[in-house]
Amino acid sequence: MKPETDPNDRFGGEVPFALHELFYSRTDPRGVIRAGNEIFRRVSGYDWSELIGAPHKLVRHPDTPKGVFRLLWDAIQKGHPMGAYVKNRAKNGGWYWVFAVMLPFDGGYLSVRLKPSSALSGRMLKLYSEIAARERAEGLDPEQSVAILRNRAEADGYGSYTAFMAHALSLELAERDRQLRRPDDARTRMLGEMNEAMAELTKEQMGLLRSFEALQSVPNNMRIVASRLEPSGGPVSAISENYKASSVVISERLRQFVVGRDNLCAQMAWQVARALFLLGCSRILPEMNRGFRAEEANAQIDLEGERRFLAQLEAKGIADARAAMQSATDFAAQMTQQSRDIRRQMLGLDTIRVLGRVECGRMRDASEGLSATIDQLDTFHDDIKSRLESIMRLSEGVEHSLMRYVRLEQAAA
């Protein structure tokens, strides 16, 4: 049998570990390793004397883009949980692929890693290799690397990388349960579905904003047509000015609703993602804790102390997850109300559009250009109404799901 760490193994092959195994490490605020579990020690290939007191970057693999660590550190240094796929390097030069869930706590950071098994993990491994190759060949800095990762999240419909990684965690937990033949976890599934609904909601909102931005050019076209059909200050010119003024007000409201760091959609998505991370931790930490029971005592790790620490973090994580769900519920209610308000404002635009259509009919043959412009308005209005209805349906659905989840959690407590 091949030894678990062969010093002659320099081909960079994958270091095996089982799907049911979990890695654990705890660091101080600077990222210096203070504790870990036997699986981490075994797969990394280092002795405890080499791990304890060493920076966690000891196991960093150059194929993990620098942007990944920038995203992780930005989140946990602000006190937020975060997750990421990470390719690590063992002492013998081999590598191992994990999904890391990182939790900040008073005095440092904790990381629990599981073996990725979803279809997404394979795509991310390929993406990492491509980004890392560009970092070496083109000299990409961490921020440029972060931009590529965020673009990938946006391409999949997620408003933030946090939401994308929350989606990844839900996929990994579900696939791990399936392969280990464990019962499906209803709460994880529910939050995963809500996260996907948030991604769809973000897509609809961005599409709505694009439609409104495109709409801004139509009143200008109408005014140009009016200048050829009537004297200055005529009814078509007045209609175009009224339409433009009203649409600008709605467009500005939409911008506050959809874009910017503090928009409602992003805040609600972030709270759902935070709750999903914390829920995932509430499932993983007890399993990690049970794993410590099977470990043999050693002078470097206070196993009982680590178990008590994990139990405390688990309890805090559950409380924080409930708070995040309640906050997300409040944001969802605000989003639903905002959607209704914007729909009411659209009725005013519809009235102006109808007046334009009436004026077009009055001009008859001379109004061909005006008719084409009004047709554009009809198309945009139909698209906007459809998106608003979809947004209201999705936001109300998310709100109801959140309220149901909070009730289930309260009943369980």
Side-chain angles (χ1 to χ4, degrees):
M1 177 182 292
K2 184 179 179 179
E4 59 185 39
T5 55
D6 181 355
N8 295 317
D9 180 11
R10 300 297 179 185
F11 58 86
E14 184 175 4
V15 179
F17 65 98
L19 185 62
H20 71 272
E21 294 183 309
L22 294 174
F23 287 53
Y24 168 81
S25 59
R26 177 172 58 82
T27 75
D28 68 11
R30 299 172 300 153
V32 175
I33 300 170
R34 295 304 181 196
N37 71 331
E38 176 59 22
I39 296 168
F40 174 40
R41 188 213 64 77
R42 188 196 80 219
V43 178
S44 71
Y46 290 95
D47 293 329
W48 283 123
S49 60
E50 298 172 291
L51 289 172
I52 303 301
H56 211 285
K57 64 182 180 181
L58 177 71
V59 295
R60 183 177 296 184
H61 196 287
D63 278 354
T64 300
K66 297 173 185 176
V68 173
F69 298 109
R70 173 65 60 87
L71 287 164
L72 280 172
W73 277 103
D74 282 352
I76 62 177
Q77 286 182 326
K78 294 174 183 174
H80 306 318
M82 187 55 166
Y85 291 101
V86 178
K87 186 176 183 180
N88 283 334
R89 181 162 57 184
K91 183 179 180 180
N92 66 1
W95 60 273
Y96 51 100
W97 180 237
V98 299
F99 187 88
V101 177
M102 298 190 67
L103 278 174
F105 63 90
D106 187 16
Y109 309 105
L110 173 145
S111 176
V112 177
R113 280 93 74 196
L114 53 85
K115 188 181 185 70
S117 54
S118 74
L120 177 61
S121 70
R123 296 197 295 272
M124 293 302 291
L125 181 60
K126 182 176 182 294
L127 178 65
Y128 276 23
S129 295
E130 293 170 356
I131 297 174
R134 289 188 60 188
E135 286 180 343
R136 291 188 288 268
E138 303 172 27
L140 298 183
D141 62 31
E143 283 304 317
Q144 291 172 309
S145 181
V146 164
I148 297 172
L149 292 165
R150 284 180 172 153
N151 287 340
R152 170 58 199 267
E154 291 175 4
D156 280 16
Y158 292 90
S160 70
Y161 202 73
T162 301
F164 182 47
M165 285 296 98
H167 166 66
L169 176 58
S170 67
L171 291 180
E172 295 302 338
L173 289 174
E175 183 60 21
R176 186 169 182 264
D177 286 340
R178 188 189 70 81
Q179 293 193 29
L180 293 175
R181 298 183 180 180
R182 294 175 176 175
D184 182 35
D185 185 82
R187 295 176 305 167
T188 302
R189 184 182 67 252
M190 184 184 297
L191 278 175
E193 290 171 355
M194 279 190 275
N195 205 35
E196 291 177 7
M198 286 303 309
E200 185 62 29
L201 188 55
T202 300
K203 283 182 180 178
E204 290 292 343
Q205 288 179 313
M206 295 308 297
L208 180 62
L209 184 62
R210 285 193 296 270
S211 291
F212 260 102
E213 288 176 339
L215 197 62
Q216 303 308 303
S217 65
V218 178
N220 293 330
N221 295 339
M222 191 184 301
R223 189 166 56 251
I224 292 171
V225 172
S227 68
R228 298 197 299 262
L229 298 177
E230 62 183 12
S232 177
V236 176
S237 296
I239 289 170
S240 67
E241 290 297 334
N242 288 337
Y243 190 97
K244 183 174 183 178
S246 297
S247 64
V248 165
V249 171
I250 300 177
S251 182
E252 182 56 33
R253 184 164 188 175
L254 268 176
R255 283 184 172 279
Q256 297 170 0
F257 183 41
V258 180
V259 300
R261 296 189 61 179
D262 297 324
N263 73 79
L264 279 176
C265 185
Q267 290 183 78
M268 185 170 80
W270 187 84
Q271 292 292 352
V272 171
R274 176 180 171 83
L276 182 55
F277 274 127
L278 292 168
L279 176 66
C281 290
S282 74
R283 289 192 56 202
I284 293 172
L285 292 182
E287 185 178 342
M288 186 71 260
N289 211 334
R290 290 191 296 272
F292 271 118
R293 296 177 186 174
E295 293 201 9
E296 297 181 4
N298 64 77
Q300 288 84 5
I301 307 296
D302 177 6
L303 297 179
E304 283 303 314
E306 294 304 315
R307 290 189 60 201
R308 288 192 299 271
F309 172 70
L310 283 170
Q312 292 170 0
L313 274 187
E314 180 191 354
K316 182 179 184 301
I318 291 172
D320 288 347
R322 288 173 181 162
M325 296 301 293
Q326 186 60 60
S327 180
T329 302
D330 295 340
F331 283 126
Q334 293 178 50
M335 186 178 300
T336 301
Q337 186 58 50
Q338 290 259 17
S339 298
R340 289 172 179 158
D341 291 345
I342 292 172
R343 185 174 63 176
R344 280 195 293 270
Q345 288 181 308
M346 278 298 299
L347 294 176
L349 277 186
D350 273 337
T351 300
I352 300 173
R353 177 174 60 91
V354 169
L355 289 175
R357 178 65 71 187
V358 170
E359 195 62 29
C360 179
R362 187 183 65 80
M363 293 181 173
R364 296 183 180 176
D365 296 340
S367 63
E368 182 178 342
L370 180 60
S371 178
T373 303
I374 299 296
D375 287 344
Q376 280 186 297
L377 287 180
D378 291 343
T379 300
F380 282 126
H381 277 234
D382 288 343
D383 179 67
I384 289 167
K385 287 177 184 177
S386 174
R387 290 188 184 279
L388 276 171
E389 290 299 322
S390 180
I391 287 169
M392 289 187 64
R393 174 180 54 79
L394 287 165
S395 59
E396 287 174 352
V398 170
E399 181 184 359
H400 294 154
S401 295
L402 287 163
M403 292 174 66
R404 186 170 71 251
Y405 185 93
V406 170
R407 287 195 295 269
L408 286 173
E409 285 290 286
Q410 290 171 342

